[in-house]
Amino acid sequence: MGFLKGLALTLIGILLFLSIMLFGAGLTFNFTALSPTFVNRQIDDLDVAAIIKDSILEISAGNDVPDALREFLDGELPNYSVELKAAIAEAVDRLYDYILGRTDTLDLNVVIGETILDPELFYSLADKIDWPDLAEELVKRKIGTELNPTLS
């Protein structure tokens, strides 16, 4: 009888331990990965401008980036870090609304178009690029000679 009592207590202890572990893991998952506020706090800690700059430099092999674009990435883009983070946070909130069942549909084209690629944000960033210098440098690279814009 003592053996069965010990075995039952051991099994109950193991089941209790496993249930507490699963409950803890589920609670942790709920407060981190399933929490848009947690994800947005993590995004706030990121240097979004540096991530964008590194991505552009990586895609274009670093040396191929025109000086006008490099100046924009170094000088102007960090000034828009708050706006970029706010747009990303809004996109994350809309995504989590769908994941957590608060909305029935999710159109990523609309979400990204209205948040991250918002025309106001996009055009305000594009206005900071020195387009004439950028175009001149790209044309010089393609032609390989010095440009003389005068007609003589």
Side-chain angles (χ1 to χ4, degrees):
M1 193 66 155
F3 173 74
L4 290 177
K5 189 176 187 181
L7 183 63
L9 287 175
T10 303
L11 286 175
I12 289 173
I14 290 172
L15 289 175
L16 181 63
F17 174 75
L18 289 176
S19 64
I20 290 174
M21 291 297 293
L22 288 174
F23 178 72
L27 200 60
T28 301
F29 188 69
N30 188 37
F31 284 122
T32 55
L34 290 179
S35 171
T37 55
F38 174 80
V39 173
N40 286 335
R41 277 184 296 191
Q42 297 304 312
I43 290 170
D44 283 339
D45 293 341
L46 293 176
D47 187 2
V48 176
I51 293 172
I52 293 171
K53 177 184 174 185
D54 292 343
S55 298
I56 291 173
L57 294 177
E58 183 180 315
I59 289 171
S60 60
N63 303 341
D64 238 11
V65 177
D67 291 335
L69 186 56
R70 193 177 295 272
E71 289 172 10
F72 166 75
L73 293 172
D74 291 334
E76 295 295 333
L77 187 61
N79 298 335
Y80 285 88
S81 187
V82 173
E83 290 88 351
L84 290 168
K85 288 179 183 181
I88 294 170
E90 175 65 26
V92 166
D93 287 339
R94 289 188 186 184
L95 176 67
Y96 272 91
D97 285 345
Y98 175 72
I99 290 173
L100 298 175
R102 296 180 193 140
T103 59
D104 295 332
T105 60
L106 175 70
D107 187 358
L108 286 177
N109 289 331
V110 172
V111 170
I112 292 173
E114 291 178 353
T115 57
I116 298 170
L117 296 178
D118 178 41
E120 279 186 34
L121 177 61
F122 191 75
Y123 291 140
S124 65
L125 286 170
D127 284 343
K128 300 297 181 183
I129 298 174
D130 190 2
W131 291 106
D133 286 348
L134 179 65
E136 182 179 349
E137 185 175 345
L138 289 175
V139 170
K140 282 181 185 178
R141 285 185 186 177
K142 291 295 179 186
I143 295 176
T145 60
E146 191 64 35
L147 289 179
N148 185 1
T150 60
L151 299 173
S152 0

